[in-house]
Amino acid sequence: MFSSTYLLPLLFVPFTKAQNTSVDLNWYAPNSTWVNNLSSVINGTGTHSFVFNSSQLPRGTRYGTYNWCNMPHVRREEYPVADKQYELVYVEVIHRHHKRTPYASNTFPKESYSWYCSDEALFYYGKPLNANGNASASTYWNVYTSNTNPFAPTGFNGTCQFPQITREGLDDSWQHGKDLYGVYHDLLRFLPDYMDDKVTYRVTNNVITSEVAGMLIDGMYKPSATIPLKIQPPSVDSLEPAYTCSAASNLFSSYGVGSSNSVWAAHLAAAKPLYATLDSISGVANTSTDWHTSFDHYFDNLSARQCHSKPLPCAISNPNNCVTQEEADAVYRLGQYEYSFIYRDSSSSLQASVGSFGVWIAELAQNIRDSISGASPVIYRHNVAHDGSVSRLLSILQIDVMVWPGMGSEVVFELYKNNGTGSKRFVRILWGGQILTSSNPTLGKVDMLNVDVLLAYFDGLVGVGASKVVAYC
Ligand SMILES: *[C@@H]1O[C@H](CO)[C@@H](O)[C@H](O)[C@H]1NC(C)=O
Ligand SMILES: *[C@@H]1O[C@H](CO)[C@@H](O)[C@H](O)[C@H]1NC(C)=O
Ligand SMILES: *[C@@H]1O[C@H](CO)[C@@H](O)[C@H](O)[C@H]1NC(C)=O
Ligand SMILES: *[C@@H]1O[C@H](CO)[C@@H](O)[C@H](O)[C@H]1NC(C)=O
Ligand SMILES: *[C@@H]1O[C@H](CO)[C@@H](O)[C@H](O)[C@H]1NC(C)=O
Ligand SMILES: *[C@@H]1O[C@H](CO)[C@@H](O)[C@H](O)[C@H]1NC(C)=O
Ligand SMILES: *[C@@H]1O[C@H](CO)[C@@H](O)[C@H](O)[C@H]1NC(C)=O
Ligand SMILES: *[C@@H]1O[C@H](CO)[C@@H](O)[C@H](O)[C@H]1NC(C)=O
Ligand SMILES: *[C@@H]1O[C@H](CO)[C@@H](O)[C@H](O)[C@H]1NC(C)=O
Ligand SMILES: *[C@@H]1O[C@H](CO)[C@@H](O)[C@H](O)[C@H]1NC(C)=O
């Protein structure tokens, strides 16, 4: 009485593999570096060569250096080509959208200048899909305020939606697509010359990922036809992620943002003087919990400005009282520390991430299985997502050194056949364009790992069909 949908997983995922007890599902602490060392973060200086002020790296800086404004990704120049005996058979890419304005929720109560997006446009329209149907004009949003409307917008004035991928962020997206195409098409001759059903793109319900996807796909294929972007309904979107998992949210809240966890409280306490200075300039009330339970808002506010060569903010009442570069750098160090704690240093991080991102992991595992079984023609899947998606993925992979995934942060899963081993498949995981190393010994340096081991790790954590996620949430 098996339907074909049940038959496939049974045939290709023998239970013995899912129950392989030699796959270690435990949480392992990340490396000790400045990122998770409170004394380095609070009493240190600078940003340890991390870049926060341009999409371009300073002259002479090695590509691969952390750049919040435009993180490293797979490019031809640095791409580690696999040994000739391995044949690439499936690629799945996930990355954070590119640089944007701040979210309105991260703008100061009164901003000292305006932010314009008049050099780009966001196209919104519906259109019948049948070629002979009525057509649609290619219309875009033109943001304005009127003198008659008595309410001033929160945060910045100007002509942007907050958030919106900026003009430079659009160009970074295009280049990202071109660089991926340079490797997977030009160098490896893996991608088809023209877009077909072998190549698919997916976005989240936050429109900024669609803004990126359009540019990125043009950087790859310059298609003249319309292109579908796969998207799940907002209530169940596994990529954003947006499905409800109260157990995971509660677990995050028990040790991270808003919690009284001693490690979390200690960093906020140590940062009190910095908070006082920033509040006095921004006008944010020191009672505002949004701003004072983590550095997220200050980090986003300051970095969005600096990534777009805008000056650090000054007090409305005193234009000479401005945030200094030293203070901004301290915020950037604290942001790294917070992401490392929430997604890696806390021993609860693995379960919290498994609950909140496990559905996407199960989908990835199924995509890999479908590639192996031949059930799907897709050889390249591309997901445009958020820092919340990439952080949770890195958490589940137990990356050795966690950072806050900046704009364009990329993880690539590559599935290979080895021509000497029959049907066996192997996996590489690339982070920032280079091989990812996990603190979990089952994964280790993920360079031609037996795919059965990775699938057993995923199944062990999230269950086939995300059954364990459902049970947990
Ligand atoms: C179990 O996993 C280990 C690696 O962790 C692998 O070497 C072994 O072949 C696997 N055994 C089975 C039966 O899949
Ligand atoms: C983390 O530590 C391991 C083991 O000492 C080392 O091999 C690896 O290079 C470290 N990773 C980073 C990014 O420093
Ligand atoms: C920073 O340095 C001060 C002065 O030496 C010290 O009292 C404080 O404990 C240090 N903070 C951290 C988090 O190590
Ligand atoms: C943290 O950094 C401080 C100062 O940079 C150093 O003395 C200390 O050994 C580090 N702690 C750990 C656990 O690495
Ligand atoms: C970015 O900051 C670094 C120092 O942190 C500085 O050397 C560089 O000139 C700055 N770049 C831009 C474009 O402002
Ligand atoms: C298998 O890989 C070897 C090593 O690169 C290569 O020389 C050989 O042609 C390959 N064989 C097949 C059948 O692809
Ligand atoms: C900057 O801070 C304000 C808080 O007043 C917040 O509303 C806004 O979203 C922040 N900007 C960004 C880009 O996050
Ligand atoms: C265009 O819309 C009109 C009004 O609904 C409808 O009658 C007509 O059939 C549509 N034309 C095409 C080509 O679909
Ligand atoms: C923003 O617009 C409001 C009116 O809507 C105006 O009062 C305010 O001065 C403007 N702020 C800036 C920085 O231009
Ligand atoms: C908050 O700011 C007010 C003055 O604006 C001050 O009296 C109070 O002590 C501050 N509270 C904290 C917790 O810093």
Side-chain angles (χ1 to χ4, degrees):
M1 286 299 296
F2 290 121
S3 74
S4 60
T5 43
Y6 275 105
L7 207 51
L8 271 179
L10 284 178
L11 273 177
F12 293 99
V13 191
F15 284 124
T16 47
K17 268 175 203 157
Q19 293 169 347
N20 186 339
T21 48
S22 64
V23 173
D24 187 340
L25 302 176
N26 292 308
W27 166 86
Y28 285 83
N31 290 15
S32 294
T33 66
W34 72 266
V35 168
N36 50 14
N37 180 328
L38 186 60
S39 112
S40 306
V41 166
I42 292 293
N43 285 334
T45 57
T47 56
H48 300 263
S49 85
F50 284 27
V51 175
F52 294 89
N53 60 6
S54 168
S55 283
Q56 271 71 50
L57 292 170
R59 205 173 270 283
T61 307
R62 181 184 60 86
Y63 189 81
T65 299
Y66 181 103
N67 182 354
W68 169 260
C69 310
N70 189 12
M71 293 289 278
H73 53 246
V74 161
R75 298 201 306 188
R76 190 166 184 158
E77 292 90 324
E78 297 83 14
Y79 182 75
V81 178
D83 191 274
K84 278 209 303 287
Q85 65 184 304
Y86 292 100
E87 180 198 344
L88 188 58
V89 291
Y90 178 70
V91 171
E92 182 141 356
V93 176
I94 177 172
H95 67 86
R96 188 186 185 188
H97 58 77
H98 280 274
K99 73 185 183 183
R100 53 159 171 70
T101 69
Y103 275 81
S105 56
N106 304 338
T107 50
F108 296 159
K110 274 192 178 305
E111 288 288 354
S112 50
Y113 60 87
S114 305
W115 193 317
Y116 294 96
C117 293
S118 314
D119 52 359
E120 61 175 307
L122 304 177
F123 287 78
Y124 288 115
Y125 55 93
K127 178 177 161 179
L129 269 182
N130 54 322
N132 303 325
N134 289 315
S136 175
S138 185
T139 54
Y140 63 87
W141 285 7
N142 182 341
V143 177
Y144 83 113
T145 51
S146 80
N147 292 332
T148 313
N149 184 336
F151 300 107
T154 326
F156 294 101
N157 290 344
T159 57
C160 306
Q161 290 293 105
F162 296 94
Q164 168 172 349
I165 303 298
T166 57
R167 172 59 196 270
E168 286 180 23
L170 294 178
D171 288 340
D172 292 345
S173 306
W174 189 88
Q175 186 64 44
H176 195 159
K178 187 167 165 43
D179 287 343
L180 285 166
Y181 196 72
V183 169
Y184 293 113
H185 177 271
D186 300 348
L187 177 64
L188 301 182
R189 297 271 147 212
F190 170 71
L191 287 175
D193 292 344
Y194 298 98
M195 276 191 76
D196 57 19
D197 62 357
K198 293 199 186 77
V199 177
T200 71
Y201 297 87
R202 179 175 172 189
V203 294
T204 72
N205 283 272
N206 183 329
V207 292
I208 62 178
T209 57
S210 298
E211 295 166 21
V212 167
M215 295 299 294
L216 181 133
I217 293 170
D218 192 81
M220 295 183 77
Y221 277 105
K222 265 196 200 320
S224 51
T226 55
I227 307 299
L229 297 177
K230 297 214 163 265
I231 183 167
Q232 292 185 352
S235 55
V236 300
D237 188 348
S238 62
L239 180 59
E240 194 157 337
Y243 62 88
T244 304
C245 183
S246 315
S249 316
N250 293 342
L251 186 53
F252 276 126
S253 312
S254 74
Y255 69 86
V257 181
S259 77
S260 53
N261 173 286
S262 61
V263 178
W264 192 258
H267 96 282
L268 293 177
K272 255 196 157 42
L274 177 62
Y275 261 133
T277 308
L278 295 171
D279 292 348
S280 73
I281 296 170
S282 66
V284 171
N286 62 10
T287 48
S288 159
T289 46
D290 275 7
W291 288 74
H292 295 99
T293 47
S294 83
F295 272 89
D296 178 86
H297 286 13
Y298 274 119
F299 187 110
D300 191 34
N301 247 281
L302 301 176
S303 65
R305 286 177 163 84
Q306 291 213 278
C307 282
H308 294 90
S309 315
K310 294 183 187 297
L312 287 167
C314 304
I316 296 284
S317 57
N318 178 2
N320 297 319
N321 181 18
C322 306
V323 174
T324 65
Q325 189 62 57
E326 289 67 33
E327 287 154 1
D329 288 350
V331 171
Y332 300 152
R333 291 194 302 275
L334 280 156
Q336 302 301 325
Y337 180 86
E338 291 185 346
Y339 264 66
S340 184
F341 182 69
I342 295 172
Y343 294 102
R344 286 292 287 114
D345 296 271
S346 166
S347 57
S348 300
S349 60
L350 177 58
Q351 183 57 56
S353 296
V354 161
S356 54
F357 201 61
V359 174
W360 189 85
I361 295 291
E363 289 170 341
L364 168 68
Q366 191 59 45
N367 293 340
I368 290 173
R369 291 190 162 110
D370 287 348
S371 164
I372 295 172
S373 71
S376 164
V378 177
I379 61 167
Y380 181 88
R381 262 193 195 78
H382 192 122
N383 303 270
V384 186
H386 304 276
D387 53 352
S389 336
V390 176
S391 306
R392 287 170 172 85
L393 173 59
L394 294 174
S395 174
I396 293 168
L397 296 174
Q398 304 196 43
I399 192 166
D400 59 351
V401 177
M402 183 67 192
V403 289
W404 190 339
M407 305 299 160
S409 288
E410 178 198 82
V411 177
V412 180
F413 295 83
E414 295 181 333
L415 182 68
Y416 289 88
K417 254 192 221 171
N418 178 320
N419 72 8
T421 59
S423 62
K424 275 218 168 76
R425 300 288 196 284
F426 301 85
V427 178
R428 295 202 308 182
I429 304 179
L430 304 177
W431 157 243
Q434 299 299 321
I435 310 284
L436 177 143
T437 301
S438 171
S439 303
N440 181 300
T442 290
L443 302 184
K445 190 172 182 195
V446 192
D447 189 7
M448 300 308 174
L449 179 69
N450 180 344
V451 73
D452 292 337
V453 174
L454 183 69
L455 292 175
Y457 180 78
F458 286 162
D459 290 351
L461 291 174
V462 309
V464 175
S467 55
K468 295 189 178 182
V469 176
V470 175
Y472 172 71
C473 292

